[in-house]
Amino acid sequence: MRITKVTTRTGDKGKTGLATGEKVFKSDKIISALGDVDELSSIIGVCALNCKDDDTKKFLHKIQNNLFDIGGQISLNSFENSIINEKMITDLDKQIDALNSELDPLQEFILPSGDSFSSNIHVARSVTRRAERTTVDLFSDTLEENPVIMYLNRLSDYFFVLSRYVLLKNGITEQPWIPKKD
């Protein structure tokens, strides 16, 4: 699909079109899910801008491309012949395993902090969780083996592990949560 004109004025009355041709209100659950996925892609762009590792940057761009595919899948409102496939999820699993293999096990909760890249990765993680929640709400009747839900769930795990890995590689100590003492 090519966009030849950005301003169409078709949304001026509060509705927008889906990939199926159906018109829905911009407040519809499907548009909320699409908006959260779009916001996620945007924050990943900020993360990639601050990323010093070329391989990680390439993987972040791959994730952004996958999120465009996920947006298309959500807009179709169907998971028959899904373009979201097992390989996309497996790629995340492999990245998580590779990064995690160099990390010490967590002893306590950690605060989202460190450096600019790691902190923005935590923002991406929390936006991923929101996108996952809105997508779960949208597809609550088709959660079994839903590839979009599976991908988003794994993606937030990837971001958490990536943030820890970056701190380790940059010699930055993780900030533990300090529980309130009575």
Side-chain angles (χ1 to χ4, degrees):
M1 173 186 212
R2 297 283 180 223
I3 298 173
T4 57
K5 188 175 180 184
V6 174
T7 305
T8 63
R9 293 179 171 65
T10 58
D12 287 354
K13 294 184 179 165
K15 286 195 169 187
T16 191
L18 301 177
T20 60
E22 177 186 3
K23 298 281 186 195
V24 297
F25 283 105
K26 291 183 177 187
S27 59
D28 194 281
K29 286 182 181 183
I30 200 165
I31 302 305
S32 292
L34 289 169
D36 288 346
V37 170
D38 184 36
E39 181 182 351
L40 175 56
S41 183
S42 296
I43 190 63
I44 293 169
V46 171
C47 293
L49 182 67
N50 291 301
C51 184
K52 294 178 178 122
D53 180 75
D54 287 340
D55 289 336
T56 301
K57 188 180 287 196
K58 284 179 190 173
F59 196 71
L60 292 174
H61 290 304
K62 182 177 184 178
I63 290 168
Q64 286 181 299
N65 278 288
N66 289 345
L67 291 173
F68 265 86
D69 290 340
I70 285 172
Q73 197 70 56
I74 291 170
S75 187
L76 288 169
N77 202 10
S78 170
F79 292 98
E80 291 181 28
N81 303 315
S82 178
I83 56 176
I84 314 310
N85 58 49
E86 185 65 32
K87 182 181 180 330
M88 294 164 75
I89 296 165
T90 302
D91 285 348
L92 284 171
D93 283 334
K94 287 179 182 175
Q95 290 288 321
I96 291 167
D97 290 344
L99 299 174
N100 224 3
S101 70
E102 297 192 41
L103 297 171
D104 291 332
L106 277 174
Q107 300 299 312
E108 64 265 328
F109 290 108
I110 58 171
L111 301 178
S113 61
D115 60 11
S116 178
F117 179 75
S118 183
S119 295
N120 276 308
I121 285 294
H122 276 291
V123 174
R125 176 189 54 78
S126 61
V127 173
T128 303
R129 286 292 189 208
R130 180 167 22 96
E132 181 183 15
R133 288 190 305 271
T134 56
T135 306
V136 164
D137 186 40
L138 178 64
F139 298 116
S140 60
D141 58 340
T142 60
L143 292 179
E144 286 296 316
E145 302 298 315
N146 185 311
V148 168
I149 304 300
M150 293 166 67
Y151 186 87
L152 292 173
N153 181 59
R154 207 74 92 255
L155 183 59
S156 65
D157 294 340
Y158 168 72
F159 287 140
F160 181 76
V161 173
L162 176 61
S163 69
R164 293 190 67 218
Y165 177 82
V166 168
L167 292 181
L168 174 72
K169 290 301 175 186
N170 290 328
I172 300 171
T173 303
E174 293 175 328
Q175 296 298 310
W177 166 62
I178 302 171
K180 181 179 164 187
K181 296 186 182 190
D182 293 330

